[in-house]
C-alpha cells in the first residue's frame, strides 16, 4: 500500500482501508452513532457502495449512509494523531469514540482531524462516518454522476461516501502541515513554502535538502516566521542546454528532484518529511503552448478516470500506474482528466512516468448562488491539493457551459466564468487557465474546441490552411454553439481541439458490455480503426491547432467510444495508435472513404 499523499510523506502511518460496518439510512432516522443498533452490511473501503468491489454493489438512490470500524492506536509520547480522508462524497460528519471531530462538504477534496486527545488509553478506538449525498441534488459538483437511477448517455453511476483512502498518521505537537513547490524556470529557481501548525517557538527552523539522482543540489535552513516559510531557492544554472535539459521535467524526460524537509527546534529534529518537485514551466505564447520555453504540441486523450468494478476509485496504485503507461504507449503525451479530480496516486505516477494532466473541476448542473459557492470552495481546495504536481499544466474550472448554461444571454453566468478564471490565476499565476472549455469562450488563455464531426475530410476543410482564425470564429458553429462570446473575439490564444472522435465500437461477443453509446459507431473493428486513425491524423496534422485531445481513453459503462475496452484491452494495436499520434505513418497509409 503506497502512502496516500505522495508529496508529503512521513514514515509513521496506518491505512484504515478494508472492511467497515455499513448501513443505509434512507429515512434519516439516525442522528448520532449511538442511534444505530445494528449494522446489516459490510463494505470494503475505499470503494463506494455502488461499486461491486465494495461488496455492497447497490446502485440505487440512497441519500444517507453510515460507516463504522474499530482500530487500534496508541500515540507515542508528545504525539498527535491525525485522521485523514482522501475524498468522501458529499457531506461527511466524523465521530471518534462518539465525539464529533470533523465536518466536510465536497466530494473530491481531502480533509483531516486531530483525534489524539480523544483516543482511549487502552488503544481500542472507534471511528464512525455519516455521509449525506442526495442523488438528485444538481447544485453540488458531481461531474459525470447520473441524477437518474440508471446511467444514460454520457453519465455514469453515482459515487456515494468514502472513495479514497482513510488513514492515520502520528505527528509531533508542532509539525509541517502543508508544503508548496513553485518552479520558476526563467530564474532557475524553485519556490518553497511551508506552513507549520502547533505551538510556534522562536527557535523553529525548516531545513530543505534537494537532490537530483543522488547528487546534492541545495541544503538550506530558514527561520519559521509566524508559522510560515516563504523562500525562492536558487539552483546553480548548468548553462549549456544539454546540461540544463537533464534537470528539466517533461513527458519525454520526467526528471524529478527529491526533497527532504525537516522541522527543527533549537537544532533538534521534531518533524521530517520527504517530497519531490521538478523544474518545468507551462505557458502560452501568442498562438502556441510552451513547455519549458519550447513549442510543445499537446497530444492528449480524454480520460474519464473510471474503472468497471471500482468506479472513480483506482483498483490499486498499480492500476493507476498502468493507465499512465497505456496513455504513453498510445503515443499521447498527456490526458485531459474529464469531470473528475483524480486520485493523488494517479498524479504521482503521471509525475514519475511523464504525462501532462489537464485538471478539470467536476461540474454542478444548476446555476444558483449555492452552486457557485460550493464550486468555489471545492475548486480552491483542489488547486491547493494539486498545485505542486509538475504533471498538472492547465486548470479548467468549467466544461461546455455545464452549470452556466446561459452564457450567451445572462451576465451572471458570464461573470461566474470570469470570476473562476481570475480566482484560478490569482491562486496559481504560473499555469494557463481555460475558463470554459469547448465553446462560448470569454476569459481564457486557450481556446478549446469540441467538434465531433465524423468525416475526416470535412474536419480537415473546416480547420485547414485556407481557413483564417477570424473566419473560424465568425462563422463556424461546432455542436451548434458559438466558439467565443460577443465582445470576446479571438485574441491570438492557442487553439486546441479539446474533444473530437468519440467513435464507438463494441465487441459483439462481449455480453458483459453495458451499452453501445457513442457519438457515432462502426459495426466492424476494421472500420472503427480506419476512422479513428484518420480523425487523429487530421487533428495532429492541422497547423491551426496547438494540440488535440481524442475522446476517449477507455470504454466507460455504456459509453463505448474508448480506444481501449473497459478492462484496458486495446481495440487497436497500441503501436498503430502511437504511430498516428506521433505522425510516423507513411503518406497514404490512412486512406479513408465515407460509406
Amino acid at each position: 500500500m503506497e502512502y496516500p499523499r505522495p508529496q508529503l510523506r512521513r514514515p509513521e502511518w496506518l491505512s484504515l482501508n478494508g472492511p467497515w460496518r455499513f448501513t443505509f439510512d434512507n429515512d434519516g432516522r439516525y442522528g448520532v452513532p449511538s442511534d444505530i443498533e445494528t449494522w446489516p452490511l459490510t463494505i470494503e473501503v475505499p470503494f463506494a457502495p455502488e461499486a461491486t468491489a465494495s461488496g455492497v454493489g447497490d446502485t440505487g438512490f440512497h441519500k444517507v449512509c453510515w460507516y463504522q470500524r474499530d482500530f487500534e492506536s496508541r500515540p507515542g509520547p508528545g504525539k498527535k494523531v491525525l485522521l485523514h480522508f482522501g475524498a468522501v462524497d458529499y457531506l461527511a460528519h466524523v465521530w471518534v469514540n462518539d465525539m464529533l471531530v470533523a465536518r466536510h462538504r465536497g466530494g473530491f477534496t481531502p480533509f483531516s482531524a486531530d483525534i489524539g486527545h480523544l483516543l482511549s488509553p487502552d488503544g481500542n478506538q472507534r471511528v464512525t462516518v455519516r455521509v449525506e449525498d442526495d442523488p438528485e441534488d444538481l447544485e453540488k459538483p458531481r461531474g459525470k454522476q447520473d441524477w437518474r437511477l440508471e446511467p444514460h448517455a454520457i453519465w455514469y453511476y453515482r459515487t456515494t461516501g468514502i472513495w479514497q483512502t482513510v488513514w492515520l498518521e502520528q505527528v509531533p505537537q508542532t509539525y509541517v502541515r502543508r508544503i508548496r513547490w513553485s518552479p520558476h524556470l526563467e530564474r532557475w529557481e524553485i519556490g518553497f513554502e511551508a506552513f507549520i501548525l502547533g505551538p510556534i517557538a522562536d527557535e523553529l527552523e525548516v531545513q530543505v535538502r534537494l537532490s537530483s539522482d543522488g547528487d546534492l543540489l541545495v541544503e538550506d535552513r530558514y527561520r519559521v516566521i509566524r508559522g510560515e516559510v516563504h523562500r525562492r531557492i536558487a539552483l546553480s544554472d548548468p548553462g549549456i542546454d544539454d546540461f540544463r535539459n537533464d534537470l528539466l521535467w517533461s513527458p519525454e524526460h520526467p526528471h524529478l528532484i527529491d526533497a527532504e524537509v525537516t522541522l527543527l527546534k533549537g537544532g533538534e529534529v521534531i518533524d521530517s518529511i520527504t517530497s519531490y518537485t521538478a523544474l518545468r514551466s507551462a505557458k502560452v505564447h501568442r498562438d502556441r503552448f510552451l513547455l519549458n520555453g519550447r513549442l510543445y504540441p499537446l497530444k492528449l486523450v480524454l480520460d474519464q478516470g473510471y474503472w468497471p468494478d471500482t468506479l472513480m476509485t483506482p483498483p490499486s496504485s498499480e492500476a493507476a500506474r498502468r493507465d499512465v503507461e497505456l496513455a504513453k504507449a498510445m503515443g499521447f503525451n498527456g490526458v485531459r482528466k474529464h469531470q473528475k479530480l483524480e486520485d493523488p496516486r494517479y498524479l504521482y505516477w503521471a509525475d514519475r512516468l511523464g504525462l501532462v494532466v489537464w485538471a478539470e473541476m467536476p461540474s454542478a448542473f444548476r446555476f444558483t448562488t449555492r452552486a457557485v459557492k460550493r464550486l468555489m470552495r471545492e475548486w480552491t481546495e483542489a488547486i491547493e491539493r494539486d498545485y505542486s504536481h509538475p504533471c498538472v499544466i492547465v486548470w479548467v474550472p468549467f466544461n461546455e457551459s455545464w452549470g452556466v448554461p446561459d452564457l450567451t444571454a445572462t451576465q451572471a453566468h458570464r461573470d461566474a466564468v470570469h470570476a473562476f478564471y481570475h480566482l484560478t490565476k490569482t491562486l496559481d499565476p504560473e499555469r494557463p487557465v481555460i475558463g470554459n472549455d469547448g465553446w462560448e469562450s470569454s476569459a481564457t488563455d486557450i481556446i478549446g474546441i469540441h467538434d465531433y464531426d465524423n468525416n475526416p475530410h470535412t474536419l480537415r476543410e473546416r480547420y485547414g490552411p485556407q481557413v483564417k482564425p477570424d473566419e473560424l470564429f465568425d462563422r463556424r458553429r461546432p455542436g451548434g454553439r458559438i466558439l467565443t462570446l460577443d465582445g470576446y473575439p479571438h485574441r491570438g490564444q492557442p487553439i486546441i481541439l479539446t474533444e473530437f472522435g468519440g467513435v464507438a465500437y463494441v465487441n459483439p461477443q462481449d455480453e458483459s458490455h453495458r451499452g453501445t453509446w457513442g457519438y457515432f459507431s462502426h459495426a466492424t473493428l476494421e472500420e472503427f480503426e480506419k476512422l479513428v486513425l484518420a480523425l487523429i491524423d487530421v487533428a495532429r496534422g492541422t497547423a491551426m491547432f496547438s494540440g488535440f485531445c481524442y475522446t476517449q481513453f477507455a470504454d466507460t459503462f455504456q459509453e463505448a467510444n474508448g480506444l481501449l475496452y473497459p478492462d484496458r484491452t486495446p481495440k487497436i494495436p497500441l503501436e498503430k495508435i502511437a504511430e498516428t499520434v506521433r505522425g510516423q505513418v507513411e503518406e497514404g497509409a490512412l486512406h479513408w472513404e465515407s460509406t
Side-chain angles (χ1 to χ4, degrees):
M1 177 66 185
E2 288 193 352
Y3 199 93
R5 189 184 53 206
Q7 287 194 296
L8 201 163
R9 305 188 301 276
R10 290 189 178 88
E12 293 185 73
W13 72 286
L14 174 68
S15 171
L16 294 185
N17 291 347
W20 289 51
R21 296 182 286 276
F22 183 79
T23 187
F24 292 112
D25 185 15
N26 296 333
D27 300 325
R29 294 183 296 150
Y30 310 133
V32 294
S34 58
D35 291 341
I36 304 174
E37 296 179 355
T38 60
W39 295 85
L41 299 171
T42 298
I43 190 168
E44 190 73 16
V45 169
F47 305 117
E50 292 87 353
T52 55
S54 72
V56 177
D58 188 330
T59 59
F61 280 174
H62 299 287
K63 187 175 181 180
V64 177
C65 62
W66 290 77
Y67 297 76
Q68 189 176 84
R69 73 158 287 171
D70 299 325
F71 63 96
E72 187 172 324
S73 179
R74 290 182 176 87
K79 293 281 190 176
K80 293 183 176 182
V81 177
L82 303 182
L83 173 61
H84 297 281
F85 291 83
V88 181
D89 197 353
Y90 171 71
L91 173 60
H93 290 78
V94 181
W95 290 262
V96 170
N97 296 335
D98 291 334
M99 296 294 293
L100 184 66
V101 297
R103 180 181 184 273
H104 181 261
R105 184 186 299 275
F108 295 88
T109 50
F111 64 98
S112 60
D114 177 6
I115 64 171
H117 60 293
L118 297 174
L119 297 183
S120 172
D122 66 8
N124 297 314
Q125 321 298 343
R126 175 169 292 174
V127 57
T128 309
V129 182
R130 178 188 187 272
V131 182
E132 183 177 338
D133 188 22
D134 185 349
E136 296 176 299
D137 183 355
L138 300 185
E139 292 180 299
K140 65 186 176 190
R142 58 189 297 149
K144 284 301 196 84
Q145 298 182 61
D146 209 326
W147 53 95
R148 297 183 186 176
L149 185 61
E150 293 296 326
H152 75 288
I154 58 171
W155 317 103
Y156 314 137
Y157 286 114
R158 292 156 297 286
T159 294
T160 299
I162 299 170
W163 67 276
Q164 287 186 23
T165 293
V166 184
W167 52 290
L168 295 171
E169 71 173 338
Q170 294 197 29
V171 298
Q173 293 297 315
T174 300
Y175 64 99
V176 179
R177 179 177 64 87
R178 181 167 66 93
I179 59 174
R180 200 161 100 136
W181 303 104
S182 304
H184 301 288
L185 185 57
E186 298 83 356
R187 294 183 293 275
W188 213 249
E189 296 174 347
I190 293 178
F192 169 73
E193 296 170 271
F195 302 88
I196 314 303
L197 196 62
I200 304 298
D202 290 339
E203 64 269 30
L204 277 183
E205 294 178 304
V206 170
Q207 177 175 288
V208 179
R209 180 184 173 93
L210 301 181
S211 58
S212 172
D213 293 331
D215 295 331
L216 182 65
L217 298 176
V218 168
E219 187 167 17
D220 289 339
R221 283 193 187 186
Y222 311 113
R223 180 63 62 90
V224 176
I225 307 296
R226 291 186 291 276
E228 298 180 0
V229 170
H230 301 270
R231 290 292 185 274
R232 283 188 174 178
I233 302 173
L235 303 180
S236 298
D237 187 344
I240 297 174
D241 279 352
D242 285 353
F243 291 158
R244 278 184 159 203
N245 292 339
D246 286 343
L247 204 56
L248 300 185
W249 185 96
S250 69
E252 295 72 27
H253 179 69
H255 184 82
L256 296 179
I257 297 172
D258 295 317
E260 298 174 22
V261 179
T262 307
L263 181 64
L264 304 107
K265 180 180 179 181
E268 179 183 348
V269 174
I270 60 173
D271 191 18
S272 181
I273 62 174
T274 55
S275 182
Y276 65 86
T277 182
L279 262 179
R280 71 103 187 86
S281 65
K283 309 277 187 185
V284 297
H285 179 67
R286 298 180 182 171
D287 65 340
R288 295 295 153 182
F289 176 83
L290 307 183
L291 186 70
N292 298 333
R294 300 288 186 267
L295 293 178
Y296 193 80
L298 290 166
K299 302 174 181 181
L300 313 178
V301 63
L302 185 144
D303 186 357
Q304 309 283 2
Y306 278 72
W307 285 263
D309 297 327
T310 61
L311 305 183
M312 289 198 298
T313 308
S316 64
S317 181
E318 282 305 309
R321 174 177 183 154
R322 180 62 177 150
D323 274 12
V324 172
E325 291 172 336
L326 283 167
K328 290 177 68 70
M330 289 188 282
F332 298 105
N333 55 28
V335 294
R336 177 176 166 229
K337 279 292 178 176
H338 188 39
Q339 288 297 292
K340 181 192 178 189
L341 298 172
E342 193 49 88
D343 188 301
R345 292 177 295 171
Y346 181 96
L347 299 180
Y348 165 79
W349 287 116
D351 290 337
R352 180 69 56 189
L353 301 176
L355 193 71
V356 299
V357 175
W358 287 28
E360 180 178 309
M361 182 63 201
S363 296
F365 292 97
R366 291 187 62 205
F367 183 85
T368 65
T369 54
R370 177 187 294 176
V372 170
K373 289 177 181 177
R374 287 173 168 180
L375 278 165
M376 190 161 287
R377 181 195 306 113
E378 198 161 354
W379 184 233
T380 301
E381 292 177 355
I383 293 171
E384 179 179 305
R385 190 197 74 169
D386 295 339
Y387 176 94
S388 296
H389 284 284
C391 68
V392 176
I393 61 162
V394 173
W395 299 112
V396 186
F398 288 98
N399 168 72
E400 289 188 349
S401 309
W402 293 355
V404 282
D406 299 321
L407 285 175
T408 58
T410 304
Q411 185 64 43
H413 291 211
R414 293 193 291 273
D415 289 342
V417 173
H418 296 172
F420 275 83
Y421 170 83
H422 290 291
L423 170 68
T424 308
K425 297 293 285 186
T426 301
L427 297 176
D428 181 3
E430 300 298 326
R431 289 177 173 94
V433 178
I434 299 180
N436 179 42
D437 193 19
W439 46 62
E440 298 173 348
S441 293
S442 53
T444 193
D445 297 324
I446 295 170
I447 301 287
I449 297 176
H450 296 181
D451 191 336
Y452 283 104
D453 193 315
N454 67 341
N455 188 319
H457 300 318
T458 57
L459 203 64
R460 181 179 287 110
E461 290 175 3
R462 184 171 298 150
Y463 303 104
Q466 73 284 358
V467 179
K468 302 290 187 275
D470 0 347
E471 179 185 345
L472 171 70
F473 289 99
D474 285 345
R475 300 182 185 178
R476 304 298 181 187
R477 300 286 188 274
R481 311 292 282 266
I482 59 173
L483 293 177
T484 57
L485 295 177
D486 291 346
Y488 296 92
H490 180 232
R491 303 185 307 279
Q493 303 105 311
I495 302 169
I496 297 180
L497 189 62
T498 48
E499 283 189 31
F500 76 105
V503 186
Y505 171 77
V506 177
N507 184 343
Q509 298 178 339
D510 183 4
E511 298 179 357
S512 67
H513 205 287
R514 305 185 187 187
T516 58
W517 193 92
Y519 289 93
F520 35 89
S521 62
H522 273 298
T524 71
L525 198 54
E526 182 182 12
E527 291 174 332
F528 170 82
E529 178 180 315
K530 284 183 179 179
L531 179 54
V532 166
L533 298 184
L535 288 168
I536 292 175
D537 190 56
V538 169
R540 182 205 54 77
T542 299
M544 179 184 291
F545 298 143
S546 294
F548 62 83
C549 179
Y550 183 82
T551 303
Q552 64 184 1
F553 175 74
D555 289 356
T556 309
F557 302 106
Q558 74 280 3
E559 256 197 278
N561 51 11
L563 294 170
L564 312 174
Y565 293 109
D567 65 357
R568 278 40 177 181
T569 301
K571 298 180 182 179
I572 303 170
L574 297 179
E575 59 274 14
K576 279 193 176 183
I577 303 172
E579 288 172 355
T580 307
V581 169
R582 294 171 182 151
Q584 298 169 330
V585 180
E586 294 182 11
E587 187 174 352
L590 296 178
H591 177 70
W592 180 88
E593 293 181 359
S594 60
T595 55

